[in-house]
């Protein structure tokens, strides 16, 4: 019997060195790109490198108002050590793109798995390793998960801790006594558990604010308001001009390879610059209200929305946007600050989550201190103007802002919020 020898095509992901190189370029800010190109020029004499254009926009004095890049840089460094499998690194990158400044994940694991085109168990396996990163609590699903991870590390996680963490909302509404009544735990056990919880850091990502020296640099994108509208452009003063040197028609194989590598880098840098500019123009062009009115003018915008506009994958938008600094007429901030997910039902008005938090804080700050607004009243007010939201949603975001319920606000007053 003759063996049946047939070629059967199977789908496979082939990641070439040049594709990896292009992905790496998309993740770089202007300073990182300059250093990378300068390093490549020392190895390839066919790269003609000229300094960036100098001009009147070299000095940028506005304050930096973001710290996401420092957090991202921290976890990316740990990922490079913790993972060597390409698939797991790709999944880890998807989790990084979902990371909020607080250190929590901003998306469900199922959504992250879908975006990474992997199964939920594969994503969960990578997440388990990411949650071992320092400081403990990074990549938590929510506040309860963040506290759980830290209590486990401290040796304080037990049945009582699990019950208290699951019922923290009750304490915010009625205090420790209400928590003890609702959980049937002894007041002493509740007090001891709460003491352990208070020693935890609810937002481990916030510790990276103002600590990353990479934020003390010139911007990657400049936004100016002119007579014809808002102008968005790359800051060419921070970028080198890289071209292919003229070497004639030499046929030396080594020289031919250097020429191919140099030509690829020149084209890759141009593509990177164009993609960076395209993403910035779509994002900032959508958020003109944010430039003019601050958070109250912020519209819902997700990475997938930008990806659909540009016809690219969502992960490409995430790589480009992460770490880019934008110079506006008022301040310098990261491009990721222009993103905000929608909040509200499909029917009715929608608002960004950051805008809702701002409006919620304003409503509570201006309420009658003797008759504070209940969550139901706040939900009704917001639904009439900003977004169709439920009482539970209002309670969730009020708690995220660290604002107690209306019974507690009668005693502390709005001025302390």
């Amino acid at each position: 019997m003759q063996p049946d020898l047939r070629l059967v095509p199977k789908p496979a992901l082939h990641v070439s060195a040049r594709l990896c190189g292009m992905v790496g370029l998309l993740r770089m800010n202007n300073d990182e790109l300059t250093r990378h190109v300068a390093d490549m020029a020392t190895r390839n004499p066919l790269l003609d490198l000229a300094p960036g254009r100098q001009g009147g926009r070299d000095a940028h004095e506005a304050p930096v108002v973001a710290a996401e890049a420092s957090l991202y840089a921290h976890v990316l460094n740990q990922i490079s050590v913790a993972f060597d499998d390409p698939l797991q690194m790709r999944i880890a990158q998807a989790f990084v793109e979902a990371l909020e400044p607080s250190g929590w994940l901003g998306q469900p694991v199922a959504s992250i798995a879908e975006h990474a085109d992997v199964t939920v168990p594969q994503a969960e396996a990578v997440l388990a390793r990411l949650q071992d990163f320092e400081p403990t609590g990074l990549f938590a699903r929510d506040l309860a998960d963040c506290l759980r991870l830290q209590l486990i590390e401290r040796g304080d996680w037990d049945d009582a801790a699990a019950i208290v963490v699951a019922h923290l909302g009750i304490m915010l509404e009625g205090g420790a006594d209400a928590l003890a009544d609702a959980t049937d735990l002894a007041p002493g056990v509740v007090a001891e558990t709460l003491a352990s919880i208070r020693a935890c850091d609810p937002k481990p990502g916030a510790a990276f604010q103002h600590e990353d020296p990479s934020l003390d640099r010139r911007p990657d994108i400049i936004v100016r308001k002119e007579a014809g509208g808002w102008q968005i452009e790359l800051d060419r003063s921070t970028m080198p001009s890289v071209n292919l040197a003229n070497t004639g028609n030499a046929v030396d194989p080594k020289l031919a390879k250097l020429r191919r590598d140099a030509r690829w880098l020149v084209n890759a840098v141009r593509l990177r610059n164009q993609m960076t500019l395209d993403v910035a123009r779509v994002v900032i062009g959508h958020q003109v209200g944010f430039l003019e009115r601050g958070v109250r003018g912020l519209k819902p915008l997700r990475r997938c929305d930008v990806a659909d506009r540009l016809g690219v994958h969502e992960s490409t938008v995430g790589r480009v946007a992460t770490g880019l600094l934008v110079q506006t007429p008022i301040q310098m901030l990261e491009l990721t600050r222009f993103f905000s997910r929608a909040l509200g039902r499909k029917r009715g008005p929608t608002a960004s989550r950051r805008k809702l938090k701002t409006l919620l804080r304003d409503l509570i700050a201006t309420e009658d201190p003797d008759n504070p607004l209940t969550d139901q009243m706040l939900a009704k007010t917001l639904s009439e103007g900003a977004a169709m939201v439920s009482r539970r949603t209002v309670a969730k975001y009020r708690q995220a802002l660290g604002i107690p319920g209306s019974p507690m606000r009668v005693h502390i007053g709005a001025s302390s919020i």
Side-chain angles (χ1 to χ4, degrees):
M1 181 176 179
Q2 295 293 329
D4 185 11
L5 301 177
R6 289 179 295 175
L7 295 176
V8 179
K10 292 185 178 180
L13 177 64
H14 176 67
V15 182
S16 67
R18 290 193 170 178
L19 177 58
C20 289
M22 188 67 238
V23 170
L25 291 181
L26 289 175
R27 292 174 177 167
M28 295 180 185
N29 58 48
N30 287 2
D31 283 356
E32 292 167 340
L33 179 66
T34 298
R35 290 192 295 269
H36 176 72
V37 171
D39 180 59
M40 297 300 293
T42 62
R43 306 178 189 181
N44 192 330
L46 301 187
L47 285 171
D48 184 11
L49 190 62
R53 295 201 304 261
Q54 301 299 314
R57 291 193 297 271
D58 285 354
H60 304 284
E61 302 297 338
V64 175
V65 188
E68 290 90 340
S70 60
L71 173 60
Y72 294 153
H74 173 77
V75 297
L76 287 173
N77 286 337
Q78 295 192 66
I79 285 173
S80 66
V81 175
F83 298 94
D84 51 18
D85 179 74
L87 176 59
Q88 290 186 330
M89 291 192 72
R90 181 163 63 82
I91 298 172
Q93 176 65 35
F95 276 106
V96 172
E97 292 171 3
L99 200 60
E100 298 285 350
S102 63
W104 306 350
L105 294 173
Q107 301 175 28
V109 175
S111 298
I112 297 171
E114 182 181 356
H115 293 159
D117 195 23
V118 296
T119 64
V120 172
Q122 286 176 307
E124 291 279 6
V126 172
L127 177 60
R129 294 177 64 183
L130 292 173
Q131 290 186 339
D132 286 334
F133 286 6
E134 294 292 339
T136 303
L138 292 181
F139 294 99
R141 294 172 175 84
D142 49 30
L143 174 60
D145 198 30
C146 182
L147 296 175
R148 178 186 66 84
L149 292 169
Q150 294 180 53
L151 290 171
I152 289 175
E153 182 187 51
R154 294 163 55 92
D156 292 335
W157 183 254
D158 52 22
D159 291 343
I163 294 173
V164 170
V165 167
H167 295 82
L168 282 178
I170 295 176
M171 192 201 71
L172 293 174
E173 290 285 352
D177 292 340
L179 181 59
D181 292 340
T183 60
D184 291 329
L185 293 173
V189 174
V190 170
E192 183 179 352
T193 304
L194 288 176
S196 297
I197 290 175
R198 291 189 183 99
C200 297
D201 183 358
K203 296 183 179 181
F208 293 87
Q209 292 182 358
H210 312 300
E211 292 184 1
D212 186 3
S214 66
L215 292 175
D216 188 18
R217 59 179 173 85
R218 291 202 296 252
D220 306 291
I221 305 293
I222 297 177
V223 179
R224 305 189 317 276
K225 190 169 186 179
E226 298 182 349
W230 289 94
Q231 300 298 315
I232 304 163
E233 61 185 30
L234 293 173
D235 185 0
R236 297 286 179 178
S237 69
T238 64
M239 300 169 56
S241 174
V242 57
N243 296 288
L244 182 63
N246 185 9
T247 60
N249 296 316
V251 294
D252 183 342
K254 292 184 179 180
L255 193 62
K257 182 180 184 306
L258 289 172
R259 185 185 296 111
R260 288 195 300 271
D261 292 343
R263 183 179 294 112
W264 176 86
L265 182 62
V266 170
N267 291 332
V269 169
R270 290 173 180 169
L271 286 173
R272 176 268 177 193
N273 291 344
Q274 188 59 54
M275 180 57 66
T276 299
L277 189 57
D278 289 345
V279 169
R281 283 175 172 168
V282 171
V283 172
I284 300 173
H286 181 82
Q287 300 290 21
V288 170
F290 182 42
L291 293 173
E292 296 176 342
R293 301 189 301 277
V295 175
R296 289 175 179 78
L298 193 65
K299 298 179 181 178
L301 181 65
R302 302 168 299 171
R303 291 184 175 95
C304 61
D305 299 327
V306 180
D308 290 342
R309 287 276 302 274
L310 295 175
V312 299
H313 195 272
E314 181 180 348
S315 62
T316 299
V317 176
R319 293 186 184 101
V320 171
T322 300
L324 287 186
L325 292 183
V326 179
Q327 177 69 62
T328 73
I330 299 176
Q331 62 188 9
M332 187 157 66
L333 64 163
E334 288 191 348
L335 187 61
T336 53
R337 291 289 297 275
F338 289 82
F339 289 94
S340 187
R341 286 168 292 161
L343 178 71
R345 305 186 183 101
K346 293 183 178 180
R347 295 181 180 179
T350 61
S352 74
R353 297 188 178 194
R354 286 166 57 199
K355 178 179 178 179
L356 178 79
K357 288 182 179 180
T358 299
L359 294 174
L360 184 60
R361 184 187 288 110
D362 289 348
L363 283 173
I364 294 175
T366 57
E367 68 187 0
D368 182 356
D370 295 325
N371 188 26
L373 299 169
T374 65
D375 291 342
Q376 186 64 48
M377 296 166 66
L378 290 167
K380 180 180 179 181
T381 301
L382 290 169
S383 297
E384 291 173 351
M388 298 292 294
V389 294
S390 66
R391 181 199 61 79
R392 293 181 62 186
T393 300
V394 168
K396 172 184 174 181
Y397 281 91
R398 174 181 53 72
Q399 293 167 14
L401 290 168
I403 300 175
S406 55
M408 300 265 315
R409 296 204 303 275
V410 173
H411 304 292
I412 64 177
S415 61
S416 61
I417 297 175

